C-alpha cells in the first residue's frame, strides 16, 4: 500500500478513537513499538480540548493523563503546551492528590488495619524465635513483658551502641547494667549469650512495641489532634509506625478506598470525565482494577478510560502485560453490568526502516504484525554478529575491549556526526562503560541487593524502582549537585516554602551548604553536619526563618522531618546530628530494620563483631567513592548526556519509550547468575511446535526474555547491529529464522 493509503487508514483509526471519545466508550489501543501510541494519545487529548472544552469548563473538569514515569509526563506536557484543562501525572502523584484529603479520616482506618496485619507477622516471628534454645525463657507472656520493659529502658542506649560499632563484650556489659536483668530469668546465661541473636531479637520486639504504640495512637479516642497518615514520595520503603507509607502501599490504599467508599469513585468520575493511561502494560493490577471499578460505577454517565500500550513491551514483573482483558473479564458484575473495552489495533510503524520492522515482527510473532507507514523507508540495516571465540577465553576486561572494537566497526559504517546508542545486557558492563564500575563493585560487595534485582535497584531510571538505600545515595549526590549549580532556583533547593523563608536567609544557607569540592559523599555529609552544628551552637542567634529554611531543605532533598535538630543541646543524648542520622538511615535501609534472623546460625561474639565491622566498612567504602564517579552515575540515572558524546550506554530496561538512529545491542546467554541461559533458552524455544507447551513459570520467563529483546530491537530507527558474545552453535538454526545475515565478529586481541 502507498503512503497515501496508509495515511488514510491511520486517519480512519484515529477517527475511531475520536468516535469512542464522543460516545464515552472506554477503549484500549493495542499497537507495537514505534506505532505512534504517544502521538495518538496526544491527538486524543487535543481533540477533546478542541471540541469539548466548553463542557469541561462548565463542569469544572479536567482530562487526566497518567504516564509511567516523570520523564514521560514532562514530554507529554511539553508536546501539549500549557493548558489548565489537562493534568498529566504519574499514577502515584495522581492518586496521592486524590486520597490525601482522607489522611485524617478513612486512610487512618486502612492504615490501622495494615499496622495490625504487620503486627501479627511480627508476633508470629517473635513466636518462632522464642522457640530457639537461647530465647526459650521469653516464651511466657510475663517474661516477654519484662523484656519489653527492658527494651523501653535501654532503647536509646542500644541503638547508640549499635550505631557506634561497639564490640560485643562491651555491648553485653552495657546491656547488663539494668535492674531488670535480674528479673528476667537466664538473661546472662542464655538470652544475651550470643550478642548477635540478642540484637536481632531486641530489634524485633522493639519493632513490635513501635507498632503497638502506633496502633494505640490511632485507636485512642481522646486525641485532640487528629493523626495524619502521609505518603512519602521520597522514600522507597514504608515507615508504617511513623504513619508514613511508600509507593506500593499508596496503590493498595487507593484501591481499598475506591472499593469501600463510593463517594471517592464519584468524585474521581465527576472531576475527570476522560482518563488516559499510557504504557498500560507496565501498570500495576490494582490500578486497572481501580479504573474498571470507576467504569462500572459510571455506567450511563459521561466518563471513559482509554489505555494505550503494547503487551509485548511489558518488561517489569509488576506490570499486568497481556492480562488486562482477563482482569476486565474477572471483574464481578455487581449488578452494574460487565465492564468492557473497545479494542483498537494500530498496525503501523512510524519509527523504523523496513528491515527493522521485519525483524521485530518476527520476534513478536502475533496478530499485531506491523507495516511501515511509508513503504519507501527501506534504507535500514540489521546485522547479527556472533563472537568468534577461537583462541581466547572471555573475561570482563576482554569483553570490554571486544565491545569497544565492535562499536568502532559500527561507527566506521556511519557518517561523521552520527551517534550510536549501545544497549548492554550485563550490569557490570553498563557500569564500566559509563564510568561508574567502582560504585557497582562496592554495592555488590556490600551485598544488600539481591543479584537479580541489581539491574532495577541500581540502574533504573525510574527513581521509585531504586533500592531505598540507593535512592538515599542518589538524593545525597543530587543535593550536592543542586548546591553547586548556580542555575538552580531557591525552589529547587528548598521546595515550596510558602514564603516562610525569606530570600536573604535562603541565599545565606545556600551559600553555607555550598562547600569546596568534597572528594566524596562522606565529606559532603560531614560538611552539612558541620554547617548544621554551627547553626545549633549559635542557636540564640539563629533566626526562626533559618531553622525553617533548614527544615525545608531537609524535607525537599531527603523527605525527612528533622524537628529535633535545634533542640539538641537541651538533651544531647536523646537527639542525634545529621551525620549520625544519615549513617543510621543508610545502614537501616541497606540491612533492614531487623537483620534477617536465622536460628540455625548463631554467631559468636567475634563473628558478630566481624559482621558488623564488615557492614560498616562496606558503607564507608561506598561513601568514600570519588564524588565525580557518583555524579556520572546520577547523570546515567537522569539520562543526561553531553553533546560531544558519540556513544551512549544503556541497560535494556533503561531505553523503554526511547528511540535512536543507530542501535548496538550486546547479548549473551545469561542475564546475571540467577538468570542462566535467559536468552539461549528464548532462542531455543523458537523451534517449539505450537502444540508443545511449557509450564506457566517457564512461559512467563520466556515471554519476559522475548519482551526485553523486542523492546531493545525496536528502539532503532535506521541501523541495528547485534553482537552475541557466547557460542551460538546450539541456537544457530533458530537465529536464522530471525536474521537473514549472521556473521562472525573477530576480536583483534
Ligand atoms: N501522526 C504522526 N505524525 C508524525 N510523526 C508521528 C506520528 N505518529 C508518530 N510519529 C512519530 O513516530 C515515532 C514513534 O512514535 P511514538 O514514540 O509515539 O511511538 P510509540 O508507539 O509510543 O512507541 P513505543 O511503544 O516504542 O514507545 C516518533 O518519532 C513520533 O514522533
Amino acid at each position: 500500500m502507498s503512503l497515501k493509503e496508509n495515511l488514510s487508514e491511520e486517519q480512519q483509526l484515529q477517527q475511531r478513537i475520536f468516535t469512542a471519545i464522543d460516545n464515552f466508550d472506554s477503549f484500549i489501543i493495542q499497537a507495537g513499538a514505534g506505532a505512534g501510541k504517544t502521538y495518538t494519545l496526544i491527538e486524543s487529548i487535543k481533540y477533546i480540548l478542541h471540541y469539548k472544552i466548553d463542557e469541561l469548563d462548565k463542569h469544572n473538569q479536567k482530562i487526566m493523563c497518567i504516564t509511567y514515569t516523570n520523564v514521560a509526563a514532562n514530554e507529554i506536557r511539553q508536546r501539549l503546551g500549557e493548558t489548565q484543562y489537562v493534568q498529566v501525572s504519574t499514577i502515584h502523584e495522581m492518586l496521592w492528590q486524590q486520597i490525601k484529603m482522607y489522611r485524617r479520616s478513612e486512610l487512618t482506618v486502612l492504615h490501622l488495619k495494615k499496622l495490625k496485619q504487620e503486627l501479627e507477622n511480627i508476633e508470629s516471628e517473635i513466636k518462632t524465635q522464642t522457640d530457639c534454645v537461647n530465647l526459650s525463657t521469653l516464651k511466657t507472656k510475663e517474661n516477654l513483658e519484662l523484656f519489653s520493659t527492658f527494651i523501653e529502658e535501654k532503647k536509646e542506649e542500644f541503638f547508640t551502641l549499635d550505631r557506634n560499632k561497639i564490640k560485643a563484650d562491651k555491648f553485653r556489659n552495657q546491656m547488663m547494667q539494668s535492674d531488670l536483668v535480674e528479673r528476667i530469668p537466664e538473661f546472662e546465661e542464655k538470652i544475651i549469650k550470643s550478642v548477635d541473636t540478642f540484637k536481632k531479637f531486641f530489634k524485633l520486639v522493639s519493632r513490635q512495641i513501635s507498632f503497638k504504640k502506633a496502633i494505640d495512637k490511632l485507636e485512642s479516642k481522646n486525641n485532640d489532634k487528629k493523626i495524619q497518615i502521609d505518603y512519602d514520595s521520597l522514600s522507597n520503603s514504608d515507615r508504617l509506625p511513623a504513619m508514613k507509607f511508600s509507593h506500593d502501599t499508596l496503590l493498595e490504599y487507593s484501591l481499598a478506598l475506591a472499593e469501600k467508599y463510593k463517594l471517592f469513585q464519584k468524585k474521581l468520575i465527576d472531576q475527570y470525565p476522560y482518563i488516559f493511561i499510557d504504557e498500560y502494560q507496565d501498570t500495576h493490577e490494582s490500578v486497572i482494577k481501580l479504573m474498571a471499578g470507576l467504569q462500572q460505577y459510571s455506567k450511563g454517565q459521561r466518563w471513559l478510560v482509554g489505555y494505550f500500550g503494547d503487551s509485548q513491551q511489558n518488561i517489569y514483573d509488576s506490570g499486568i502485560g497481556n492480562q488486562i482483558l482477563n482482569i476486565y473479564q474477572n471483574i464481578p458484575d455487581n449488578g452494574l453490568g460487565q465492564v468492557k473495552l473497545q479494542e483498537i489495533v494500530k498496525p503501523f510503524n512510524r519509527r523504523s526502516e523496513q528491515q527493522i520492522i521485519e525483524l521485530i515482527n518476527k520476534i513478536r510473532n502475533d496478530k499485531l504484525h506491523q507495516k511501515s507507514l511509508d513503504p519507501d523507508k527501506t534504507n535500514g540495516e540489521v546485522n547479527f554478529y556472533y563472537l568468534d571465540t577461537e583462541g581466547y577465553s572471555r573475561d570482563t576486561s576482554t569483553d570490554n575491549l571486544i565491545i569497544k572494537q565492535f562499536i568502532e566497526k559500527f561507527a566506521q559504517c556511519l557518517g561523521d556526526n552520527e551517534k550510536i546508542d549501545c544497549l548492554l545486557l550485563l550490569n557490570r558492563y553498563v557500569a564500566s562503560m559509563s564510568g561508574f564500575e567502582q560504585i557497582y563493585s562496592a554495592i555488590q560487595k556490600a551485598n544488600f541487593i539481591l543479584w537479580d534485582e541489581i539491574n532495577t535497584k541500581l540502574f533504573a531510571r525510574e527513581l521509585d524502582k531504586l533500592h531505598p538505600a540507593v535512592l538515599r545515595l542518589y538524593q545525597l549526590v543530587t543535593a550536592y549537585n543542586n548546591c553547586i549549580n548556580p542555575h538552580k532556583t531557591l525552589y529547587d533547593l528548598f521546595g515550596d516554602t510558602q514564603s516562610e523563608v525569606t530570600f536573604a536567609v535562603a541565599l545565606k544557607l545556600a551559600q553555607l551548604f555550598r562547600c569546596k569540592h568534597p572528594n566524596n559523599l562522606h565529606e559532603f555529609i560531614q560538611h552539612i553536619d558541620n554547617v548544621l552544628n554551627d547553626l545549633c551552637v549559635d542557636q540564640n542567634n539563629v533566626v526562626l526563618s533559618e531553622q525553617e529554611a533548614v527544615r525545608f531543605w531537609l524535607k525537599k532533598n531527603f523527605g525527612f522531618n528533622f524537628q529535633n535538630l535545634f533542640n539538641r543541646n537541651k538533651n544531647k543524648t536523646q537527639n542525634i546530628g545529621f551525620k549520625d542520622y544519615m549513617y543510621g538511615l543508610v545502614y537501616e535501609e541497606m540491612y533492614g530494620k531487623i537483620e534477617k534472623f536465622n536460628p540455625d546460625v548463631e554467631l559468636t561474639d567475634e563473628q558478630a563483631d566481624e559482621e558488623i565491622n564488615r557492614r560498616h566498612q562496606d558503607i564507608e567504602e561506598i561513601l568514600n567513592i570519588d564524588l565525580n564517579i557518583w555524579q556520572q552515575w546520577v547523570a546515567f540515572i537522569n539520562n543526561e548526556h553531553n553533546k560531544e558524546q558519540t556513544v551512549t550506554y544503556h541497560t535494556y530496561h533503561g531505553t523503554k519509550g526511547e528511540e535512536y538512529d543507530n542501535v548496538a545491542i550486546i547479548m549473551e546467554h545469561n542475564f546475571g547468575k540467577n538468570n542462566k541461559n535467559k536468552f539461549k533458552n528464548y532462542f531455543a524455544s523458537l523451534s517449539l511446535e505450537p502444540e508443545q507447551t511449557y509450564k506457566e513459570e517457564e512461559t512467563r520467563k520466556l515471554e519476559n526474555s522475548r519482551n526485553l529483546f523486542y523492546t531493545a530491537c525496536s528502539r532503532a530507527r535506521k541501523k541495528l547491529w547485534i553482537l552475541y558474545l557466547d557460542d551460538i552453535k546450539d541456537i544457530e538454526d533458530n537465529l536464522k529464522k530471525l536474521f537473514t545475515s549472521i556473521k562472525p565478529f573477530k576480536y583483534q586481541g
Side-chain angles (χ1 to χ4, degrees):
M1 287 225 278
S2 67
L3 172 63
K4 202 169 156 203
E5 285 166 317
N6 285 341
L7 280 170
S8 144
E9 192 185 329
E10 196 189 43
Q11 195 48 46
Q12 283 168 22
L13 282 171
Q14 187 70 54
Q15 193 52 51
R16 274 185 67 194
I17 302 174
F18 294 158
T19 310
I21 291 175
D22 288 342
N23 298 335
F24 286 99
D25 275 342
S26 291
F27 59 82
I28 177 165
I29 308 296
Q30 311 264 28
K37 289 181 289 294
T38 315
Y39 189 92
T40 309
L41 168 70
I42 291 171
E43 287 301 293
S44 307
I45 297 176
K46 285 185 180 162
Y47 177 80
I48 301 170
L49 290 177
H50 193 79
Y51 292 102
K52 325 268 176 192
I53 201 146
D54 291 342
E55 277 293 297
L56 291 178
D57 211 23
K58 192 163 114 199
H59 301 288
N60 198 13
Q61 293 171 319
K62 281 184 183 186
I63 304 166
M64 169 68 75
C65 174
I66 296 169
T67 61
Y68 189 65
T69 59
N70 278 315
V71 177
N74 286 337
E75 162 104 31
I76 292 180
R77 276 185 211 123
Q78 233 170 33
R79 280 160 71 173
L80 268 179
E82 268 307 307
T83 163
Q84 50 166 327
Y85 295 101
V86 188
Q87 183 181 327
V88 190
S89 53
T90 61
I91 188 72
H92 296 110
E93 271 170 7
M94 170 299 206
L95 288 175
W96 180 233
Q97 186 205 38
Q98 290 305 316
I99 70 170
K100 75 172 168 208
M101 68 189 69
Y102 304 102
R103 62 184 159 185
R104 291 200 181 88
S105 49
E106 284 81 356
L107 266 184
T108 59
V109 179
L110 294 173
H111 197 71
L112 181 62
K113 194 169 153 206
K114 194 169 172 81
L115 280 167
K116 285 184 174 172
Q117 276 164 354
E118 200 52 39
L119 179 65
E120 258 178 47
N121 295 341
I122 295 171
E123 287 179 342
S124 97
E125 207 175 328
I126 289 179
K127 238 190 180 137
T128 338
Q129 301 198 4
T130 47
D131 281 346
C132 82
V133 191
N134 278 351
L135 300 175
S136 57
T137 53
L138 295 177
K139 255 186 176 153
T140 64
K141 199 165 168 258
E142 287 148 51
N143 286 349
L144 205 52
E145 265 168 24
L146 272 176
F147 192 70
S148 302
T149 321
F150 169 79
I151 287 181
E152 293 282 20
E153 186 201 321
K154 300 294 266 185
K155 202 167 156 189
E156 291 298 336
E157 196 181 346
F158 175 96
F159 285 104
T160 312
L161 295 172
D162 193 41
R163 215 175 20 246
N164 291 326
K165 303 171 259 176
I166 299 301
K167 285 208 179 303
D169 51 350
K170 186 159 178 224
F171 187 91
R172 186 183 290 108
N173 287 342
Q174 294 280 114
M175 283 295 116
M176 297 285 294
Q177 284 166 30
S178 161
D179 297 341
L180 276 161
V181 167
E182 307 277 297
R183 298 178 53 203
I184 304 174
E186 299 178 311
F187 192 97
E188 191 172 359
E189 303 96 89
K190 287 199 163 174
I191 295 168
I192 203 166
K193 193 173 140 234
S194 153
V195 168
D196 178 51
T197 307
F198 171 82
K199 277 189 178 177
K200 286 167 187 164
F201 194 69
F202 189 105
K203 286 182 185 173
L204 190 59
V205 180
S206 109
R207 194 160 155 78
Q208 179 199 30
I209 295 171
S210 61
F211 270 73
K212 276 186 174 163
K213 277 188 185 158
I215 291 172
D216 284 350
K217 214 165 153 187
L218 279 175
E219 283 181 333
S220 159
K221 296 271 178 302
N222 45 13
N223 266 326
D224 302 343
K225 224 175 111 200
K226 279 250 175 188
I227 291 163
Q228 179 172 307
I229 314 297
D230 271 307
Y231 166 53
D232 185 355
S233 65
L234 290 182
S235 166
N236 284 353
S237 60
D238 282 336
R239 280 183 291 142
L240 301 177
M243 309 295 171
K244 295 259 191 312
F245 59 87
S246 184
H247 322 300
D248 289 349
T249 305
L250 173 66
L251 298 184
E252 184 188 317
Y253 285 177
S254 307
L255 181 64
L257 266 187
E259 285 175 349
K260 205 160 164 207
Y261 303 104
K262 291 291 165 234
L263 190 70
F264 175 65
Q265 291 191 326
K266 187 167 173 1
K267 247 192 75 228
L268 262 177
I269 292 167
D270 288 346
Q271 224 176 325
Y272 303 102
Y274 307 95
I275 299 189
F276 295 126
I277 300 193
D278 199 13
E279 311 262 24
Y280 77 78
Q281 72 278 0
D282 284 316
T283 308
H284 198 278
E285 186 176 344
S286 35
V287 178
I288 305 293
K289 285 187 172 160
L290 179 82
M291 291 299 145
L294 293 180
Q295 194 178 331
Q296 195 168 47
Y297 186 67
S298 71
K299 272 277 155 71
Q301 282 188 48
R302 304 167 54 256
W303 189 89
L304 72 79
V305 56
Y307 298 98
F308 297 75
D310 176 9
S311 61
Q312 292 217 10
Q313 288 185 67
N314 167 223
I315 52 173
Y316 291 112
D317 287 343
S318 57
I320 40 112
N322 57 11
Q323 290 306 305
I324 185 164
L325 297 177
N326 287 347
I327 296 173
Y328 258 71
Q329 259 173 13
N330 291 329
I331 301 278
D333 180 288
N334 292 337
L336 294 163
Q338 197 64 46
V339 276
K340 291 207 177 72
L341 292 173
Q342 184 185 160
E343 205 175 341
I344 300 175
V345 177
K346 210 177 167 201
F348 296 106
N349 182 309
R350 273 187 167 266
R351 172 179 298 148
S352 312
E353 300 284 331
Q354 186 59 39
Q355 290 77 358
I356 291 158
I357 300 176
E358 272 167 27
L359 169 70
I360 58 177
N361 276 338
K362 285 187 212 159
I363 299 174
R364 65 179 305 142
N365 191 23
D366 65 356
K367 65 174 185 183
L368 232 162
H369 194 89
Q370 287 189 317
K371 47 188 175 182
S372 173
L373 189 88
D374 179 355
D376 291 336
K377 261 177 117 175
T378 53
N379 286 326
E381 188 180 297
V382 175
N383 282 316
F384 185 96
Y385 290 90
Y386 62 90
L387 184 67
D388 182 352
T389 48
E390 220 181 273
Y392 65 93
S393 56
R394 284 184 52 195
D395 60 38
T396 309
S397 58
T398 327
D399 278 356
N400 278 337
L401 294 172
I402 294 168
I403 295 166
K404 280 192 182 138
Q405 267 183 23
F406 182 71
I407 297 286
E408 272 164 28
K409 185 176 162 111
F410 190 2
Q412 280 160 15
C413 305
L414 301 174
D416 280 350
N417 295 323
E418 287 198 85
K419 302 196 168 189
I420 296 174
D421 284 85
C422 179
L423 280 57
L424 295 164
L425 191 57
L426 289 195
N427 301 320
R428 175 173 293 285
Y429 296 172
V430 179
S432 61
M433 292 295 199
S434 311
F436 56 85
E437 192 180 9
Q438 207 183 336
I439 294 180
Y440 174 79
S441 301
I443 296 239
Q444 217 189 15
K445 180 161 167 265
N447 198 21
F448 61 92
I449 304 180
L450 294 177
W451 240 98
D452 49 353
E453 288 185 347
I454 233 172
N455 181 267
T456 322
K457 299 206 162 170
L458 179 62
F459 292 86
R461 284 177 169 152
E462 296 92 38
L463 298 187
D464 58 358
K465 291 201 157 24
L466 294 176
H467 185 281
V470 171
L471 179 67
R472 195 63 68 200
L473 298 165
Y474 173 91
Q475 288 167 349
L476 278 165
V477 185
T478 307
Y480 171 71
N481 282 347
N482 287 345
C483 283
I484 56 163
N485 184 343
H487 301 297
K488 289 286 168 191
T489 63
L490 291 181
Y491 176 81
D492 293 328
L493 297 183
F494 296 93
D496 187 0
T497 59
Q498 292 158 350
S499 56
E500 280 170 57
V501 177
T502 64
F503 193 68
V505 165
L507 267 181
K508 177 184 163 192
L509 272 180
Q511 251 158 21
L512 286 175
F513 287 149
R514 193 174 303 141
C515 53
K516 216 166 46 240
H517 187 76
N519 291 310
N520 48 46
L521 283 177
H522 181 74
E523 286 181 21
F524 177 61
I525 295 172
Q526 184 64 61
H527 171 75
I528 298 297
D529 192 66
N530 293 346
V531 171
L532 299 187
N533 272 340
D534 289 350
L535 286 174
C536 272
V537 171
D538 199 25
Q539 66 177 307
N540 291 338
N541 296 323
V542 173
V543 280
L544 206 62
S545 166
E546 282 180 13
Q547 295 187 15
E548 283 297 286
V550 169
R551 202 166 62 79
F552 279 111
W553 185 80
L554 292 169
K555 181 108 188 109
K556 168 83 180 160
N557 287 283
F558 307 103
F560 52 73
N561 286 320
F562 205 57
Q563 282 153 345
N564 293 340
L565 190 76
F566 287 95
N567 302 328
R568 270 199 303 155
N569 289 350
K570 289 183 197 144
N571 190 350
K572 253 192 156 160
T573 53
Q574 293 284 318
N575 299 307
I576 55 173
F578 176 79
K579 183 173 142 195
D580 285 345
Y581 188 71
M582 188 50 90
Y583 281 152
L585 214 55
V586 172
Y587 187 93
E588 190 178 287
E589 283 166 340
M590 280 187 189
Y591 297 109
K593 293 189 171 77
I594 307 154
E595 291 95 336
K596 250 289 64 26
F597 187 86
N598 181 354
D600 303 331
V601 189
E602 199 163 68
L603 303 186
T604 61
D605 282 1
E606 288 73 31
Q607 285 168 328
D609 285 345
E610 223 171 81
E611 180 62 17
I612 290 170
N613 260 337
R614 187 190 63 75
R615 289 181 172 182
H616 282 283
Q617 266 168 19
D618 286 341
I619 295 181
E620 283 290 305
E621 205 174 298
I622 289 172
L623 296 176
N624 278 331
I625 292 173
D626 200 303
L627 198 53
N628 294 325
I629 298 180
W630 278 111
Q631 287 171 313
Q632 301 210 41
W633 171 73
V634 165
F636 172 87
I637 299 287
N638 293 346
N639 208 3
E640 294 161 350
H641 316 286
N642 65 42
K643 291 210 167 63
E644 296 85 61
Q645 206 171 319
T646 51
V647 188
T648 307
Y649 295 95
H650 313 264
T651 62
Y652 285 23
H653 287 83
T655 59
K656 190 178 155 56
E658 304 256 310
E659 55 184 26
Y660 318 104
D661 281 348
N662 308 304
V663 171
I665 301 183
I666 313 296
M667 306 188 74
E668 57 189 286
H669 290 337
N670 306 334
F671 184 27
K673 62 180 176 199
N674 289 349
N675 275 302
K676 282 253 178 290
N677 289 330
K678 183 175 173 73
F679 287 100
K680 187 179 181 188
N681 290 344
Y682 159 66
F683 288 119
S685 76
L686 297 181
S687 52
L688 195 71
E689 295 298 327
E691 63 274 11
Q692 278 177 272
T693 47
Y694 285 109
K695 284 200 198 100
E696 205 182 310
E697 172 65 10
E698 197 57 31
T699 310
R700 210 181 49 76
K701 278 190 185 163
L702 289 172
E703 275 179 10
N704 180 278
S705 314
R706 179 205 55 208
N707 291 0
L708 207 49
F709 186 48
Y710 176 78
T711 309
C713 291
S714 59
R715 300 306 99 200
R717 286 197 203 100
K718 296 180 183 162
K719 292 192 172 141
L720 173 65
W721 281 37
I722 297 174
L723 174 64
Y724 206 92
L725 293 171
D726 282 318
D727 185 1
I728 59 160
K729 187 165 78 265
D730 297 341
I731 48 173
E732 189 166 357
D733 289 344
N734 287 355
L735 284 169
K736 284 182 180 154
K737 291 181 181 166
L738 298 177
F739 300 98
T740 36
S741 115
I742 295 191
K743 296 175 252 184
F745 177 73
K746 191 98 192 118
Y747 164 59
Q748 313 290 330

